[in-house]
Amino acid sequence: MTSAPTTEPGLTTSPPQTPGEAPGRVAPRPRRVVPLWGWLVAVVVIWWVASRIGDGRAVLYLPGQETTDFQDRFTDLKADLIAGRDTNVLMQVVGAVSDAFNGVVEQLQGLVSTPDLPRPVPQIGWLGVLGIAGWVSLAIAGWRHALGTMASLAAVGLLGYWVDGMDTLIITFFSVAVSLALGLPLAVWMGTSRRVNAVVTPVLDVLQTFPAFVYLAPMALFFSLGPAIAVAVTVLYALPPVVRISAHALRSVSETTIEATTSLGQTGWQRLIKVQLPMARPSIIVGVNQTMMAALSISVIAGFVNGPGLGKPVLRALTAGSNQVGVAFIAGASIVFIAIMLDRVTTAASERSELVARGGGGNRRTHRIVLAVAGAAALVSVYVSRTYFSFAEFPDTEVGPKVAEAVQSATDWTTSHFSGLTTGVQETVTTVFINPLQDLVAGSPWFVTGLALIVLSQLLAGWRGALSSLACLTGIYVTDLWYDAMVTLTSVLVATLFVMVVAVVLGVWMARRRLVDRLLRPLLDAAQVMPSFVYLIPVLALFGPGRFTAIVAAFIYAVPVATKLVADGVRQVSETTVEAATAAGSTPWQLITKVQLPMARGNLVLAANQGLLFVLAMVVIGGLVGGGALGYDSVLGFSRGEFFGKGVSAGIAIVLLGIMVDRVARGAAERDRSAPGLLARLRTRTPAHHLS
């Protein structure tokens, strides 16, 4: 038995020695590890030096009016498909589907929006539409949302876009119906089979990475312009949300519940119908909501391919220039009214289904009586709208023209009085941020930029991220649009930088102040449901056409989703951790920078990921207002048939850019899920009860 060492007064003990270490030798200092930001800075510095040496050589620039053999293959393929439409089996099948889509849309238009000849008006006039829409909203969401639905549709009519608004709803609802018919069975299959889920999930990831604009080019190979291609593109774009969310909801049903139903002798079909689907119903309705909003956003973009609806007047106003801002505004406002209406009704339907499933929802007998009375009123409104002309065709009003004139006057006044300020902001951002970054990314030799991006991907996301970047950059090189892709990437990076700065400031403010959250969150929700086209209207009026306009519109479009993600991440930091840091003497600034933001790092990376994808989608649409690069190539491919192949190649390059930034951001999030070291240090400085 040994006794503990003692220390004589005035003597000090030597530090403990490691096994095998010679007595009296000082232990070696631990090696310094270079932090991640140090490596990132080093790569950027080397990249900049190499770009100065390269001095604009080997940038692979291709003028807008030139094409390559790779791009011409797509143009020739389109010509061959059109020429062989009568003999090609695939084109015959697609033609039959196209005819069916056109037939359904025309029938629905004759029902509610356009004259159903020989009737000079639709079968159901505006009053009947309001009655039916109000009754449906009452049944699934409640009386407040029924009133909101009727008010929103009436506002669209008062602005002068009743017919276009109804056409937008027709394309949206028909596309959602097709998406649900295809997506829900696939979601059930994914939710009940791990193998199917493993196969389909990567496909959904890729589809959701595509900007909406990109879907137009490949579908134009098979469908002719008009309602059919609008429906086909909308279905393809809107399908992934309902499949992914519904499959996740089915997989999330408790294993204990599944085992209990199995022990009771239920078959797999009975378990699905009586247990899994009812328990997953609220989430499925959320999936329907997301699918509906996606369908609405791209049904507007379908105006490019002659799809009916509100996309046409918005597109006409945007291409007409700044003197049409007022017209574009009221068309955009009509889209916003419809978007908010659909979002609120479907969200309320999800909440109501959950309440009813738990035995709430009020008196059911009273609810049925109210529905019966409202249904009778809706039938009367349908009859009146079929009988009287004034209730069939929405009357002309002066509301829309007056609003457009007021908005145009305000725009003209703003541009004339603040042109110096807007020009100064535009020149400063362009000189300080856009031009230097574009010189680095797009102005460097292509192999220098490619190698730098791959190394940065490895540092941020590991070897998987580097391999993904290598594959995507190789594909971009093959499209012969390297320079344009790098210019687009520059705009994406600049816009995302500003998005994250604003998102962090607003997100932290919202997380730390409940009043600020209550005031800002409804605004962010409303901004998030607006189709991307709407954001181009005010920005174009302020700054005129150009790449800066595309960047600002992308910034406005992406800020809401990034801000909400940051706010939610900061709010999720446990109160005990915040209390511990406060007890340790942290100031509010230290609390934000040393505790809350580091512990919300996963949400910050996710916000950057979503911000990048939103920005990329909007920067491409910015090609309409002089954004240039891949956006210009895409628009050129639609507007002129001889450049169709270049437009398709631009779409491929856009998708590859999206996949690359998505994979790098996701890889960075997966590598950085551990809690920051400050929490461990706090444990040594604060009483145990603060961290229990």
Side-chain angles (χ1 to χ4, degrees):
M1 191 171 178
T2 60
S3 60
T6 59
T7 304
E8 296 288 339
L11 297 179
T12 58
T13 58
S14 60
Q17 296 177 351
T18 57
E21 183 181 356
R25 179 178 297 179
V26 179
R29 293 183 178 181
R31 293 182 59 186
R32 289 188 177 182
V33 178
V34 179
L36 175 61
W37 65 265
W39 288 111
L40 296 176
V41 170
V43 172
V44 172
V45 169
I46 295 173
W47 185 4
W48 182 83
V49 172
S51 71
R52 297 303 92 191
I53 297 174
D55 194 21
R57 291 188 289 269
V59 297
L60 304 182
Y61 173 71
L62 181 69
Q65 300 294 318
E66 292 187 12
T67 60
T68 63
D69 292 340
F70 177 83
Q71 298 163 3
D72 290 338
R73 292 193 188 100
F74 290 105
T75 304
D76 296 339
L77 175 61
K78 180 183 179 181
D80 293 341
L81 288 173
I82 294 175
R85 188 179 295 274
D86 296 332
T87 58
N88 189 302
V89 176
L90 175 62
M91 294 301 293
Q92 290 177 347
V93 173
V94 172
V97 174
S98 178
D99 292 340
F101 284 173
N102 283 327
V104 172
V105 171
E106 290 173 2
Q107 290 292 326
L108 294 175
Q109 286 179 314
L111 187 65
V112 297
S113 67
T114 58
D116 188 23
L117 301 176
R119 280 177 60 88
V121 290
Q123 291 291 336
I124 301 176
W126 65 269
L127 184 63
V129 172
L130 290 182
I132 294 174
W135 183 85
V136 172
S137 299
L138 176 65
I140 66 175
W143 66 269
R144 292 182 181 177
H145 294 284
L147 294 177
T149 296
M150 292 188 290
S152 299
L153 294 179
V156 173
L158 290 173
L159 291 176
Y161 286 103
W162 177 263
V163 173
D164 288 326
M166 291 302 101
D167 286 343
T168 296
L169 287 175
I170 287 170
I171 296 295
T172 300
F173 285 140
F174 180 44
S175 301
V176 169
V178 176
S179 298
L180 296 181
L182 298 174
L184 289 180
L186 180 59
V188 170
W189 199 11
M190 290 177 61
T192 54
S193 172
R194 293 184 178 179
R195 183 175 300 176
V196 174
N197 181 67
V199 172
V200 177
T201 297
V203 178
L204 297 178
D205 289 341
V206 173
L207 289 177
Q208 286 193 290
T209 306
F210 285 20
F213 199 88
V214 176
Y215 285 92
L216 300 180
M219 297 306 291
L221 281 170
F222 303 100
F223 291 87
S224 58
L225 300 182
I229 187 173
V231 173
V233 168
T234 305
V235 169
L236 188 61
Y237 182 68
L239 185 64
V242 72
V243 174
R244 183 186 296 278
I245 295 174
S246 300
H248 175 73
L250 290 171
R251 290 195 305 272
S252 299
V253 175
S254 170
E255 289 289 341
T256 305
T257 304
I258 300 296
E259 294 173 359
T261 58
T262 303
S263 65
L264 293 175
Q266 282 190 341
T267 63
W269 179 254
Q270 290 174 326
R271 182 169 60 249
L272 175 66
I273 297 298
K274 296 184 178 181
V275 179
Q276 290 175 291
L277 286 177
M279 294 187 71
R281 180 170 50 195
S283 296
I284 293 175
I285 297 178
V286 172
V288 174
N289 168 274
Q290 295 301 304
T291 291
M292 191 170 294
M293 300 312 297
L296 177 63
S297 66
I298 199 171
S299 66
V300 176
I301 295 175
F304 278 103
V305 289
N306 202 32
L310 289 164
K312 286 185 176 180
V314 174
L315 183 60
R316 286 197 300 267
L318 285 175
T319 54
S322 59
N323 59 338
Q324 293 291 319
V325 172
V327 176
F329 175 83
I330 59 173
S334 300
I335 298 170
V336 172
F337 283 134
I338 292 176
I340 294 176
M341 174 196 73
L342 294 178
D343 180 64
R344 294 296 180 266
V345 170
T346 51
T347 301
S350 173
E351 296 171 353
R352 184 179 182 85
S353 68
E354 178 72 12
L355 186 62
V356 172
R358 295 181 178 180
N363 190 307
R364 294 190 179 184
R365 184 171 181 272
T366 303
H367 183 64
R368 289 171 184 167
I369 294 174
V370 172
L371 282 181
V373 174
L379 292 176
V380 171
S381 68
V382 171
Y383 171 78
V384 172
S385 72
R386 285 181 53 83
T387 306
Y388 300 98
F389 183 85
S390 59
F391 295 102
E393 187 175 63
F394 204 95
D396 293 332
T397 67
E398 294 297 322
V399 175
K402 288 183 178 179
V403 173
E405 183 179 355
V407 171
Q408 189 65 54
S409 299
T411 301
D412 295 339
W413 182 88
T414 303
T415 53
S416 63
H417 286 75
F418 294 96
S419 59
L421 176 61
T422 56
T423 301
V425 171
Q426 183 174 353
E427 291 178 351
T428 300
V429 174
T430 301
T431 303
V432 175
F433 293 99
I434 301 176
N435 287 344
L437 186 59
Q438 182 169 314
D439 290 341
L440 177 65
V441 177
S444 300
W446 68 269
F447 48 86
V448 173
T449 297
L451 180 61
L453 292 175
I454 292 171
V455 174
L456 291 174
S457 300
Q458 197 281 328
L459 293 173
L460 293 171
W463 288 109
R464 289 185 179 180
L467 292 176
S468 296
S469 295
L470 174 62
C472 292
L473 291 172
T474 301
I476 292 172
Y477 178 84
V478 171
T479 63
D480 297 322
L481 291 174
W482 179 274
Y483 182 83
D484 286 354
M486 294 303 107
V487 172
T488 297
L489 180 60
T490 300
S491 299
V492 169
L493 293 176
V494 171
T496 304
L497 173 64
F498 287 107
V499 165
M500 289 307 300
V501 170
V502 173
V504 169
V505 173
L506 293 181
V508 171
W509 196 20
M510 290 172 62
R512 293 174 60 85
R513 297 288 186 270
R514 289 189 176 274
L515 179 60
V516 175
D517 185 85
R518 291 175 181 175
L519 293 175
L520 289 183
R521 192 168 289 271
L523 297 178
L524 296 177
D525 289 341
Q528 200 170 344
V529 301
M530 293 183 191
S532 53
F533 262 39
V534 178
Y535 293 98
L536 288 176
I537 299 170
V539 179
L540 181 63
L542 287 174
F543 298 102
R547 59 176 177 172
F548 182 79
T549 298
I551 290 174
V552 174
F555 161 77
I556 298 173
Y557 182 52
V559 159
V561 63
T563 301
K564 290 167 67 175
L565 286 170
V566 173
D568 293 340
V570 173
R571 188 179 293 107
Q572 289 170 5
V573 176
S574 67
E575 293 183 4
T576 54
T577 303
V578 175
E579 292 174 1
T582 304
S586 298
T587 64
W589 177 253
Q590 290 174 327
L591 188 64
I592 294 170
T593 58
K594 305 283 187 176
V595 179
Q596 290 176 309
L597 287 179
M599 295 196 71
R601 196 173 300 166
N603 272 56
L604 292 177
V605 175
L606 180 59
N609 169 269
Q610 293 301 299
L612 277 166
L613 294 179
F614 273 62
V615 165
L616 178 61
M618 193 63 186
V619 165
V620 174
I621 296 176
L624 285 171
V625 291
L630 294 179
Y632 170 80
D633 297 332
S634 299
V635 175
L636 182 67
F638 284 113
S639 59
R640 298 177 60 178
E642 65 269 28
F643 295 105
F644 177 81
K646 191 165 189 174
V648 173
S649 298
I652 295 173
I654 293 166
V655 171
L656 292 173
L657 274 181
I659 293 174
M660 182 177 73
V661 298
D662 178 64
R663 291 298 179 270
V664 172
R666 289 192 183 194
E670 291 174 357
R671 295 185 67 186
D672 197 24
R673 288 183 177 176
S674 59
L678 178 63
L679 179 60
R681 294 197 296 272
L682 286 173
R683 292 182 184 275
T684 65
R685 297 172 55 189
T686 56
H689 68 272
H690 283 292
L691 294 171
S692 59

